[in-house]
């Protein structure tokens, strides 16, 4: 088998990857985006000491020795709801009615809960002693100034955005989404919704590739089906070069009469990085580059397109997206079903992995995608492996 190894292809693409571009987006638009830098807290949150419940802010020492029979008696000197600010200093013998989230008035050091007291006019009766800082929430209890709230390369989930909002941030620096122009090639292809005619099939790869790109946070531009005509293909793709970080196509990469992508790469004036990666399915993938833009021409067989997308394109997309982790997760696992074919070269088969065990579907043809739809892993079968029995130890790549 000619061609380069999978690892070499990935490495080469990572080397050639355009640099991620930074942009600042409004916090409300940042869900799922990748943070472009570490973000640290610029102040303590909450910004002031506050009450954790509805009750009365008091001075704990005033309640010493209080009992139900002989309650401590304090004078209510004011009231403070969340958002108010009680400016006066509270002196011994005084209490301030306070609601959850209210700033602790100066001088007070504890809160007694509303349900435990009796108020008679301005007088407050407290039936037990409180400790210094009982029911008391300190400034900075949630976040202390300087704490790292988000690390560069992290995907911003809802709770992270809430943390940034609590720091008053209205926007956040993120990496621009990778821009990918996607196209399917093939005179046999018909778009879903159109009537099928003899010899034609529906374009399914477009949905697989575009869907996965979007799941990975890419911006996509979907081109019309490219006919098996290299001039036309090169023309359509060249129009996307300025916008796209990546051109991704399926079909037309092998040695058939209508395998136009070789000629397309030439007409684009692109540098071919590789043709052929030592794996089955998907071997004839072409990698190319024109300017900064990287082209990946995947094989048209649906499972081949899927496998090469996950194993070759995804690490590149992950890097371009600015994500921390670019390598796929691997696990050792025990095969629960036999795989009856020997593998002369390296082979990836679809599988379902769960807790160290891996099951195989019945159908493994690279033209079939149906059986891959419920799978979550590929078994990585090394070259020169005989047929695999149930119980064999294998290595899987998680999707
Ligand atoms: P190709 O790589 O163009 O030689 O295509 C290999 C096989 O995949 C052929 O059987 C094609 O009909 C099929 N195929 C190519 N492109 C698509 C597509 N977009 N959707 C579904 N099947 C496809
Ligand atoms: Mg074709």
């Amino acid at each position: 088998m000619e061609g380069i190894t999978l690892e070499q292809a990935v490495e080469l693409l990572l080397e050639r990857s355009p640099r991620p571009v930074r942009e600042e987006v409004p916090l409300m638009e940042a869900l799922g985006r990748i943070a472009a830098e570490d973000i640290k807290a610029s102040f303590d949150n909450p910004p002031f000491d506050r009450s954790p419940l509805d009750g009365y802010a008091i001075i704990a020492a005033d309640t010493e020795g209080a009992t139900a029979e002989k309650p401590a008696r304090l004078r209510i000197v004011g009231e403070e709801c969340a958002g108010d600010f009680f400016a006066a200093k509270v002196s011994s013998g005084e209490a301030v009615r306070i609601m959850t989230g209210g700033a602790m008035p100066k001088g007070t050091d504890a809160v007694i809960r509303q349900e435990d007291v009796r108020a008679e006019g301005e007088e407050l009766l407290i039936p037990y002693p409180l400790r210094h800082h009982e029911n008391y929430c300190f400034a900075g209890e949630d976040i202390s100034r300087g704490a790292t709230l988000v690390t560069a390369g992290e995907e911003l989930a809802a709770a992270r955005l809430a943390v940034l909002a609590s720091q008053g941030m209205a926007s956040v620096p993120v990496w621009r989404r990778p821009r990918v122009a996607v196209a399917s090639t093939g005179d046999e292809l018909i778009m879903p919704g159109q009537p099928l005619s003899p010899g034609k099939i529906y374009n399914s790869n477009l949905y697989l590739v575009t869907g996965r790109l979007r799941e990975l946070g890419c911006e996509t531009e979907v081109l019309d089906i490219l006919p098996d005509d290299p001039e036309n293909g090169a023309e359509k793709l060249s129009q996307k070069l300025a916008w796209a970080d990546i051109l991704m196509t399926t079909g037309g990469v092998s040695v058939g009469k209508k395998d136009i992508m070789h000629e397309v790469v030439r007409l684009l004036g692109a540098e071919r990085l590789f043709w052929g990666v030592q794996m089955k399915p998907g071997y004839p993938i072409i990698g190319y580059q024109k300017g900064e833009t990287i082209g990946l021409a995947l094989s048209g067989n649906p499972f081949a397109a899927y496998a090469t997308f996950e194993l070759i394109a995804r690490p590149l997309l992950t890097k371009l997206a600015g994500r921390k982790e670019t390598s796929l997760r691997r696990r050792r696992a025990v095969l629960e079903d036999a795989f009856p074919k020997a593998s002369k070269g390296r082979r990836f088969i679809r599988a379902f992995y769960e807790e160290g065990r891996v099951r195989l579907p019945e159908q493994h043809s690279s033209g079939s995608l149906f059986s891959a739809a419920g799978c979550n892993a590929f078994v990585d079968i090394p070259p020169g492996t005989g047929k695999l029995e149930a119980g064999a130890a294998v290595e899987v790549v998680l999707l």
Side-chain angles (χ1 to χ4, degrees), residues 1-6 9 13 185 205 249-256 258-263 265 272-288 295-309 312 346 348 366:
M1 210 185 231
E2 306 250 315
I4 59 176
T5 66
L6 175 59
L13 292 172
T185 72
N205 286 350
T249 56
T250 63
V253 292
S254 193
V255 292
K258 291 295 183 87
D259 285 334
I260 60 160
M261 286 308 295
H262 307 283
E263 183 62 6
V265 171
R272 195 173 80 183
L273 303 176
F274 55 82
W275 174 35
V277 171
Q278 292 158 10
M279 60 181 279
K280 194 178 168 144
Y283 171 80
I285 179 174
I286 305 171
Y288 57 96
L296 284 174
L298 315 182
S299 163
N301 271 312
F303 184 65
Y306 188 27
T308 47
F309 181 94
I312 299 174
R346 187 176 187 180
F348 288 90
S366 66

Short mmCIF file of all heavy atoms in Angstrom, two decimals, residues 1-6 9 13 185 205 249-256 258-263 265 272-288 295-309 312 346 348 366:
data_model
loop_
_atom_site.label_atom_id
_atom_site.label_comp_id
_atom_site.label_asym_id
_atom_site.label_seq_id
_atom_site.Cartn_x
_atom_site.Cartn_y
_atom_site.Cartn_z
N MET A 1 0.84 -1.20 0.00
CA MET A 1 0.00 0.00 0.00
C MET A 1 0.87 1.25 0.00
O MET A 1 1.75 1.40 0.83
CB MET A 1 -0.89 -0.02 1.25
CG MET A 1 -2.21 0.68 1.06
SD MET A 1 -3.12 0.73 2.63
CE MET A 1 -4.70 0.08 2.13
N GLU A 2 0.64 2.10 -0.95
CA GLU A 2 1.37 3.37 -0.98
C GLU A 2 0.69 4.36 -0.04
O GLU A 2 -0.12 3.99 0.77
CB GLU A 2 1.34 3.94 -2.41
CG GLU A 2 1.83 2.98 -3.46
CD GLU A 2 3.16 3.42 -4.02
OE1 GLU A 2 3.31 4.61 -4.31
OE2 GLU A 2 4.07 2.57 -4.15
N GLY A 3 1.01 5.60 -0.22
CA GLY A 3 0.35 6.61 0.60
C GLY A 3 1.06 6.79 1.92
O GLY A 3 2.06 6.13 2.21
N ILE A 4 0.56 7.74 2.72
CA ILE A 4 1.19 8.01 4.01
C ILE A 4 0.33 7.42 5.12
O ILE A 4 -0.80 7.01 4.89
CB ILE A 4 1.40 9.53 4.22
CG1 ILE A 4 0.07 10.28 4.16
CG2 ILE A 4 2.34 10.08 3.15
CD1 ILE A 4 0.20 11.77 4.46
N THR A 5 0.87 7.38 6.32
CA THR A 5 0.08 6.82 7.41
C THR A 5 -0.94 7.86 7.88
O THR A 5 -0.80 9.07 7.62
CB THR A 5 0.97 6.45 8.63
OG1 THR A 5 1.51 7.67 9.17
CG2 THR A 5 2.09 5.51 8.24
N LEU A 6 -1.91 7.35 8.58
CA LEU A 6 -2.93 8.22 9.14
C LEU A 6 -2.31 9.29 10.04
O LEU A 6 -2.64 10.48 9.95
CB LEU A 6 -3.90 7.33 9.96
CG LEU A 6 -4.98 8.03 10.75
CD1 LEU A 6 -5.86 8.86 9.84
CD2 LEU A 6 -5.82 7.00 11.50
N ALA A 9 -0.66 11.95 8.00
CA ALA A 9 -1.64 12.84 7.37
C ALA A 9 -2.15 13.87 8.39
O ALA A 9 -2.22 15.06 8.10
CB ALA A 9 -2.80 12.03 6.80
N LEU A 13 -1.50 17.95 8.29
CA LEU A 13 -2.61 18.91 8.26
C LEU A 13 -2.53 19.87 9.44
O LEU A 13 -2.80 21.07 9.29
CB LEU A 13 -3.95 18.18 8.25
CG LEU A 13 -4.25 17.38 6.97
CD1 LEU A 13 -5.50 16.55 7.14
CD2 LEU A 13 -4.38 18.32 5.77
N THR A 185 -19.54 15.68 -4.93
CA THR A 185 -19.37 15.55 -6.38
C THR A 185 -20.03 14.26 -6.84
O THR A 185 -20.08 13.28 -6.10
CB THR A 185 -17.88 15.47 -6.77
OG1 THR A 185 -17.37 14.19 -6.38
CG2 THR A 185 -17.07 16.56 -6.10
N ASN A 205 -24.11 12.07 1.69
CA ASN A 205 -22.85 12.52 2.31
C ASN A 205 -22.89 13.97 2.76
O ASN A 205 -22.31 14.34 3.78
CB ASN A 205 -21.69 12.38 1.32
CG ASN A 205 -21.27 10.94 1.13
OD1 ASN A 205 -21.71 10.07 1.86
ND2 ASN A 205 -20.44 10.70 0.13
N THR A 249 -14.82 18.17 0.22
CA THR A 249 -15.68 17.55 -0.79
C THR A 249 -15.75 16.06 -0.54
O THR A 249 -14.89 15.49 0.15
CB THR A 249 -15.12 17.77 -2.20
OG1 THR A 249 -13.78 17.26 -2.25
CG2 THR A 249 -15.12 19.24 -2.58
N THR A 250 -16.75 15.43 -1.11
CA THR A 250 -16.78 13.96 -1.12
C THR A 250 -16.89 13.51 -2.57
O THR A 250 -17.54 14.15 -3.38
CB THR A 250 -17.96 13.39 -0.31
OG1 THR A 250 -19.19 13.80 -0.91
CG2 THR A 250 -17.91 13.84 1.13
N GLY A 251 -16.26 12.39 -2.85
CA GLY A 251 -16.35 11.75 -4.16
C GLY A 251 -15.23 12.15 -5.09
O GLY A 251 -14.52 13.14 -4.88
N GLY A 252 -15.04 11.30 -6.11
CA GLY A 252 -14.13 11.65 -7.20
C GLY A 252 -12.66 11.64 -6.87
O GLY A 252 -11.89 12.40 -7.46
N VAL A 253 -12.22 10.77 -5.96
CA VAL A 253 -10.81 10.81 -5.58
C VAL A 253 -10.03 9.56 -5.98
O VAL A 253 -8.82 9.51 -5.79
CB VAL A 253 -10.64 11.02 -4.05
CG1 VAL A 253 -11.09 12.41 -3.66
CG2 VAL A 253 -11.39 9.96 -3.25
N SER A 254 -10.74 8.57 -6.50
CA SER A 254 -10.05 7.30 -6.76
C SER A 254 -9.45 7.32 -8.18
O SER A 254 -8.98 8.36 -8.64
CB SER A 254 -11.04 6.16 -6.54
OG SER A 254 -10.35 4.95 -6.50
N VAL A 255 -9.46 6.19 -8.84
CA VAL A 255 -8.80 6.12 -10.14
C VAL A 255 -9.81 5.85 -11.27
O VAL A 255 -9.45 5.46 -12.36
CB VAL A 255 -7.71 5.01 -10.15
CG1 VAL A 255 -6.56 5.42 -9.25
CG2 VAL A 255 -8.28 3.68 -9.71
N GLY A 256 -11.08 6.11 -10.97
CA GLY A 256 -12.12 5.89 -11.98
C GLY A 256 -12.09 6.99 -13.03
O GLY A 256 -11.41 8.02 -12.89
N LYS A 258 -14.35 9.06 -13.82
CA LYS A 258 -14.98 10.31 -13.39
C LYS A 258 -14.41 10.84 -12.08
O LYS A 258 -15.06 11.62 -11.40
CB LYS A 258 -16.50 10.10 -13.27
CG LYS A 258 -17.21 9.90 -14.60
CD LYS A 258 -17.12 11.16 -15.45
CE LYS A 258 -17.89 11.04 -16.75
NZ LYS A 258 -19.28 11.41 -16.65
N ASP A 259 -13.23 10.38 -11.73
CA ASP A 259 -12.66 10.86 -10.48
C ASP A 259 -11.94 12.19 -10.72
O ASP A 259 -10.73 12.26 -10.94
CB ASP A 259 -11.76 9.77 -9.86
CG ASP A 259 -12.64 8.68 -9.25
OD1 ASP A 259 -13.78 8.99 -8.88
OD2 ASP A 259 -12.19 7.53 -9.15
N ILE A 260 -12.75 13.21 -10.65
CA ILE A 260 -12.35 14.55 -11.10
C ILE A 260 -11.45 15.33 -10.15
O ILE A 260 -10.85 16.32 -10.54
CB ILE A 260 -13.60 15.44 -11.33
CG1 ILE A 260 -14.39 15.58 -10.01
CG2 ILE A 260 -14.46 14.89 -12.44
CD1 ILE A 260 -15.33 16.78 -9.97
N MET A 261 -11.39 14.89 -8.91
CA MET A 261 -10.75 15.77 -7.92
C MET A 261 -9.24 15.97 -8.17
O MET A 261 -8.70 17.02 -7.81
CB MET A 261 -11.01 15.28 -6.50
CG MET A 261 -12.44 15.53 -6.02
SD MET A 261 -12.99 17.25 -6.22
CE MET A 261 -11.90 18.12 -5.11
N HIS A 262 -8.60 15.01 -8.79
CA HIS A 262 -7.17 15.19 -9.11
C HIS A 262 -6.99 16.40 -10.03
O HIS A 262 -6.14 17.25 -9.81
CB HIS A 262 -6.62 13.93 -9.78
CG HIS A 262 -6.88 12.69 -8.98
ND1 HIS A 262 -6.16 12.37 -7.87
CD2 HIS A 262 -7.82 11.73 -9.11
CE1 HIS A 262 -6.62 11.25 -7.36
NE2 HIS A 262 -7.64 10.83 -8.08
N GLU A 263 -7.86 16.45 -11.02
CA GLU A 263 -7.80 17.54 -11.98
C GLU A 263 -8.26 18.86 -11.33
O GLU A 263 -7.70 19.93 -11.61
CB GLU A 263 -8.69 17.18 -13.19
CG GLU A 263 -8.69 18.17 -14.33
CD GLU A 263 -7.33 18.39 -15.00
OE1 GLU A 263 -6.37 17.67 -14.67
OE2 GLU A 263 -7.25 19.30 -15.85
N VAL A 265 -7.83 19.74 -8.24
CA VAL A 265 -6.71 20.23 -7.42
C VAL A 265 -5.69 20.95 -8.33
O VAL A 265 -5.19 22.02 -8.01
CB VAL A 265 -6.03 19.07 -6.65
CG1 VAL A 265 -4.74 19.53 -5.98
CG2 VAL A 265 -6.99 18.48 -5.63
N ARG A 272 -0.66 19.70 -3.78
CA ARG A 272 -1.19 18.45 -3.23
C ARG A 272 -0.33 18.02 -2.06
O ARG A 272 0.89 17.86 -2.20
CB ARG A 272 -1.23 17.36 -4.30
CG ARG A 272 -2.10 16.19 -3.86
CD ARG A 272 -2.29 15.19 -4.95
NE ARG A 272 -1.11 14.33 -5.05
CZ ARG A 272 -0.96 13.37 -5.96
NH1 ARG A 272 -1.90 13.19 -6.86
NH2 ARG A 272 0.12 12.63 -5.97
N LEU A 273 -0.94 17.87 -0.89
CA LEU A 273 -0.18 17.48 0.30
C LEU A 273 -0.04 15.96 0.38
O LEU A 273 0.99 15.45 0.79
CB LEU A 273 -0.87 17.99 1.57
CG LEU A 273 -1.10 19.51 1.64
CD1 LEU A 273 -1.88 19.87 2.89
CD2 LEU A 273 0.23 20.26 1.61
N PHE A 274 -1.10 15.26 0.01
CA PHE A 274 -1.03 13.80 -0.05
C PHE A 274 -2.20 13.27 -0.86
O PHE A 274 -3.22 13.93 -1.01
CB PHE A 274 -1.02 13.16 1.36
CG PHE A 274 -2.18 13.56 2.24
CD1 PHE A 274 -3.42 12.92 2.13
CD2 PHE A 274 -2.04 14.57 3.18
CE1 PHE A 274 -4.49 13.29 2.94
CE2 PHE A 274 -3.11 14.94 4.00
CZ PHE A 274 -4.33 14.30 3.87
N TRP A 275 -2.01 12.10 -1.38
CA TRP A 275 -3.10 11.33 -1.98
C TRP A 275 -2.91 9.91 -1.53
O TRP A 275 -1.92 9.28 -1.89
CB TRP A 275 -3.08 11.41 -3.52
CG TRP A 275 -4.10 10.51 -4.17
CD1 TRP A 275 -5.34 10.22 -3.69
CD2 TRP A 275 -3.97 9.79 -5.39
NE1 TRP A 275 -6.00 9.38 -4.54
CE2 TRP A 275 -5.19 9.09 -5.60
CE3 TRP A 275 -2.96 9.67 -6.35
CZ2 TRP A 275 -5.40 8.28 -6.71
CZ3 TRP A 275 -3.19 8.86 -7.45
CH2 TRP A 275 -4.40 8.18 -7.64
N GLY A 276 -3.81 9.42 -0.72
CA GLY A 276 -3.70 8.06 -0.21
C GLY A 276 -3.24 8.05 1.23
O GLY A 276 -2.16 8.54 1.55
N VAL A 277 -4.09 7.54 2.10
CA VAL A 277 -3.74 7.37 3.50
C VAL A 277 -3.97 5.90 3.82
O VAL A 277 -5.02 5.34 3.48
CB VAL A 277 -4.59 8.30 4.40
CG1 VAL A 277 -4.37 7.95 5.87
CG2 VAL A 277 -4.21 9.76 4.14
N GLN A 278 -2.96 5.32 4.46
CA GLN A 278 -2.97 3.87 4.66
C GLN A 278 -4.05 3.44 5.65
O GLN A 278 -3.79 3.21 6.83
CB GLN A 278 -1.60 3.39 5.14
CG GLN A 278 -0.54 3.54 4.06
CD GLN A 278 0.85 3.59 4.64
OE1 GLN A 278 1.05 3.34 5.83
NE2 GLN A 278 1.83 3.95 3.82
N MET A 279 -5.23 3.36 5.14
CA MET A 279 -6.36 2.90 5.95
C MET A 279 -7.47 2.45 5.03
O MET A 279 -7.55 2.86 3.87
CB MET A 279 -6.86 4.02 6.86
CG MET A 279 -7.36 5.25 6.10
SD MET A 279 -7.93 6.57 7.17
CE MET A 279 -9.59 6.02 7.58
N LYS A 280 -8.30 1.59 5.56
CA LYS A 280 -9.46 1.15 4.83
C LYS A 280 -10.64 1.34 5.77
O LYS A 280 -10.54 0.90 6.91
CB LYS A 280 -9.30 -0.34 4.49
CG LYS A 280 -10.26 -0.84 3.45
CD LYS A 280 -9.98 -2.30 3.15
CE LYS A 280 -11.16 -2.82 2.35
NZ LYS A 280 -10.87 -3.75 1.35
N PRO A 281 -11.70 1.98 5.41
CA PRO A 281 -11.98 2.57 4.10
C PRO A 281 -11.38 3.98 4.01
O PRO A 281 -10.82 4.47 4.99
CB PRO A 281 -13.50 2.66 4.11
CG PRO A 281 -13.81 2.99 5.54
CD PRO A 281 -12.80 2.22 6.36
N GLY A 282 -11.52 4.57 2.83
CA GLY A 282 -11.16 5.99 2.70
C GLY A 282 -9.79 6.23 2.14
O GLY A 282 -9.37 7.39 2.03
N TYR A 283 -9.09 5.15 1.77
CA TYR A 283 -7.70 5.28 1.32
C TYR A 283 -7.44 6.45 0.36
O TYR A 283 -6.50 7.23 0.56
CB TYR A 283 -7.23 3.95 0.69
CG TYR A 283 -5.90 4.09 0.02
CD1 TYR A 283 -4.73 4.07 0.78
CD2 TYR A 283 -5.80 4.32 -1.35
CE1 TYR A 283 -3.50 4.26 0.17
CE2 TYR A 283 -4.57 4.51 -1.96
CZ TYR A 283 -3.43 4.48 -1.19
OH TYR A 283 -2.21 4.68 -1.79
N PRO A 284 -8.26 6.62 -0.69
CA PRO A 284 -7.85 7.61 -1.71
C PRO A 284 -8.08 9.09 -1.34
O PRO A 284 -8.04 9.94 -2.23
CB PRO A 284 -8.68 7.22 -2.94
CG PRO A 284 -9.86 6.51 -2.40
CD PRO A 284 -9.44 5.85 -1.12
N ILE A 285 -8.25 9.42 -0.12
CA ILE A 285 -8.43 10.84 0.27
C ILE A 285 -7.27 11.70 -0.26
O ILE A 285 -6.11 11.27 -0.25
CB ILE A 285 -8.53 10.95 1.82
CG1 ILE A 285 -8.69 12.42 2.25
CG2 ILE A 285 -7.34 10.32 2.51
CD1 ILE A 285 -8.93 12.58 3.75
N ILE A 286 -7.61 12.89 -0.71
CA ILE A 286 -6.59 13.84 -1.15
C ILE A 286 -6.56 15.02 -0.17
O ILE A 286 -7.61 15.57 0.18
CB ILE A 286 -6.89 14.40 -2.55
CG1 ILE A 286 -7.08 13.28 -3.57
CG2 ILE A 286 -5.79 15.36 -3.01
CD1 ILE A 286 -7.60 13.77 -4.93
N GLY A 287 -5.36 15.39 0.22
CA GLY A 287 -5.19 16.62 1.00
C GLY A 287 -4.47 17.63 0.13
O GLY A 287 -3.52 17.28 -0.56
N TYR A 288 -4.94 18.87 0.11
CA TYR A 288 -4.26 19.87 -0.72
C TYR A 288 -4.36 21.23 -0.05
O TYR A 288 -5.10 21.42 0.93
CB TYR A 288 -4.84 19.90 -2.14
CG TYR A 288 -6.34 20.16 -2.24
CD1 TYR A 288 -6.83 21.44 -2.47
CD2 TYR A 288 -7.25 19.12 -2.11
CE1 TYR A 288 -8.19 21.68 -2.59
CE2 TYR A 288 -8.62 19.35 -2.22
CZ TYR A 288 -9.08 20.63 -2.46
OH TYR A 288 -10.44 20.86 -2.55
N GLY A 295 -7.61 21.90 1.56
CA GLY A 295 -8.66 21.13 0.90
C GLY A 295 -8.59 19.69 1.34
O GLY A 295 -7.49 19.12 1.47
N LEU A 296 -9.73 19.13 1.63
CA LEU A 296 -9.80 17.70 1.91
C LEU A 296 -10.84 17.11 0.98
O LEU A 296 -12.03 17.46 1.06
CB LEU A 296 -10.19 17.46 3.37
CG LEU A 296 -9.07 17.69 4.39
CD1 LEU A 296 -9.61 17.58 5.80
CD2 LEU A 296 -7.93 16.70 4.17
N ALA A 297 -10.39 16.25 0.11
CA ALA A 297 -11.29 15.58 -0.82
C ALA A 297 -11.46 14.15 -0.32
O ALA A 297 -10.55 13.33 -0.43
CB ALA A 297 -10.71 15.62 -2.22
N LEU A 298 -12.62 13.91 0.30
CA LEU A 298 -12.87 12.59 0.87
C LEU A 298 -13.47 11.68 -0.18
O LEU A 298 -14.10 12.13 -1.14
CB LEU A 298 -13.86 12.69 2.06
CG LEU A 298 -13.64 13.79 3.08
CD1 LEU A 298 -14.69 13.69 4.19
CD2 LEU A 298 -12.25 13.72 3.68
N SER A 299 -13.28 10.42 0.04
CA SER A 299 -13.88 9.42 -0.85
C SER A 299 -15.40 9.52 -0.76
O SER A 299 -15.96 9.93 0.25
CB SER A 299 -13.40 8.04 -0.41
OG SER A 299 -14.23 7.05 -0.95
N GLY A 300 -16.09 9.15 -1.84
CA GLY A 300 -17.55 9.29 -1.87
C GLY A 300 -18.30 8.19 -1.15
O GLY A 300 -19.45 8.38 -0.76
N ASN A 301 -17.67 7.05 -0.95
CA ASN A 301 -18.36 5.99 -0.22
C ASN A 301 -18.75 6.52 1.16
O ASN A 301 -17.89 7.00 1.90
CB ASN A 301 -17.45 4.78 -0.04
CG ASN A 301 -17.57 3.83 -1.21
OD1 ASN A 301 -18.68 3.49 -1.61
ND2 ASN A 301 -16.45 3.42 -1.76
N PRO A 302 -20.03 6.41 1.50
CA PRO A 302 -20.46 7.07 2.73
C PRO A 302 -19.66 6.70 3.99
O PRO A 302 -19.28 7.59 4.75
CB PRO A 302 -21.92 6.65 2.85
CG PRO A 302 -22.35 6.50 1.42
CD PRO A 302 -21.17 5.92 0.71
N PHE A 303 -19.36 5.44 4.18
CA PHE A 303 -18.64 5.12 5.40
C PHE A 303 -17.17 5.56 5.30
O PHE A 303 -16.55 5.92 6.30
CB PHE A 303 -18.73 3.64 5.77
CG PHE A 303 -18.07 3.36 7.09
CD1 PHE A 303 -18.57 3.90 8.26
CD2 PHE A 303 -16.90 2.61 7.15
CE1 PHE A 303 -17.94 3.70 9.48
CE2 PHE A 303 -16.25 2.40 8.36
CZ PHE A 303 -16.78 2.95 9.53
N ALA A 304 -16.65 5.55 4.09
CA ALA A 304 -15.28 6.04 3.90
C ALA A 304 -15.22 7.53 4.21
O ALA A 304 -14.29 8.02 4.87
CB ALA A 304 -14.83 5.78 2.47
N ALA A 305 -16.23 8.26 3.75
CA ALA A 305 -16.27 9.69 4.03
C ALA A 305 -16.36 9.92 5.55
O ALA A 305 -15.67 10.78 6.10
CB ALA A 305 -17.48 10.33 3.33
N TYR A 306 -17.17 9.12 6.19
CA TYR A 306 -17.37 9.25 7.63
C TYR A 306 -16.06 8.97 8.38
O TYR A 306 -15.62 9.75 9.23
CB TYR A 306 -18.46 8.27 8.06
CG TYR A 306 -18.93 8.39 9.48
CD1 TYR A 306 -18.87 9.59 10.17
CD2 TYR A 306 -19.49 7.29 10.14
CE1 TYR A 306 -19.33 9.69 11.48
CE2 TYR A 306 -19.96 7.39 11.44
CZ TYR A 306 -19.87 8.58 12.11
OH TYR A 306 -20.33 8.67 13.39
N ALA A 307 -15.44 7.84 8.04
CA ALA A 307 -14.22 7.45 8.76
C ALA A 307 -13.11 8.47 8.56
O ALA A 307 -12.42 8.87 9.51
CB ALA A 307 -13.76 6.07 8.29
N THR A 308 -12.93 8.93 7.34
CA THR A 308 -11.83 9.88 7.11
C THR A 308 -12.16 11.24 7.70
O THR A 308 -11.29 11.97 8.15
CB THR A 308 -11.50 10.02 5.61
OG1 THR A 308 -12.72 10.19 4.88
CG2 THR A 308 -10.77 8.80 5.10
N PHE A 309 -13.45 11.58 7.73
CA PHE A 309 -13.83 12.82 8.39
C PHE A 309 -13.38 12.77 9.84
O PHE A 309 -12.72 13.69 10.35
CB PHE A 309 -15.35 13.06 8.31
CG PHE A 309 -15.77 14.34 8.97
CD1 PHE A 309 -15.91 15.50 8.22
CD2 PHE A 309 -15.98 14.40 10.34
CE1 PHE A 309 -16.26 16.69 8.83
CE2 PHE A 309 -16.32 15.59 10.96
CZ PHE A 309 -16.47 16.74 10.20
N ILE A 312 -9.27 12.02 10.12
CA ILE A 312 -8.30 12.93 9.48
C ILE A 312 -8.74 14.39 9.55
O ILE A 312 -7.95 15.26 9.92
CB ILE A 312 -8.06 12.50 8.01
CG1 ILE A 312 -7.51 11.07 7.99
CG2 ILE A 312 -7.12 13.47 7.30
CD1 ILE A 312 -7.36 10.47 6.62
N ARG A 346 -4.24 -1.57 7.39
CA ARG A 346 -4.94 -1.05 8.57
C ARG A 346 -6.40 -0.80 8.21
O ARG A 346 -6.72 -0.24 7.16
CB ARG A 346 -4.29 0.26 8.99
CG ARG A 346 -4.82 0.80 10.29
CD ARG A 346 -4.03 2.04 10.64
NE ARG A 346 -4.33 2.57 11.94
CZ ARG A 346 -3.75 3.65 12.43
NH1 ARG A 346 -2.84 4.31 11.73
NH2 ARG A 346 -4.06 4.09 13.63
N PHE A 348 -10.41 0.31 9.72
CA PHE A 348 -11.29 0.84 10.77
C PHE A 348 -12.70 0.31 10.53
O PHE A 348 -13.21 0.42 9.40
CB PHE A 348 -11.31 2.37 10.75
CG PHE A 348 -10.02 2.96 11.24
CD1 PHE A 348 -8.98 3.23 10.36
CD2 PHE A 348 -9.81 3.21 12.59
CE1 PHE A 348 -7.77 3.76 10.80
CE2 PHE A 348 -8.62 3.75 13.05
CZ PHE A 348 -7.59 4.02 12.16
N SER A 366 -18.33 -0.30 2.99
CA SER A 366 -18.06 1.13 3.05
C SER A 366 -19.12 1.93 2.30
O SER A 366 -19.24 3.13 2.47
CB SER A 366 -16.66 1.46 2.54
OG SER A 366 -16.58 1.16 1.18
#
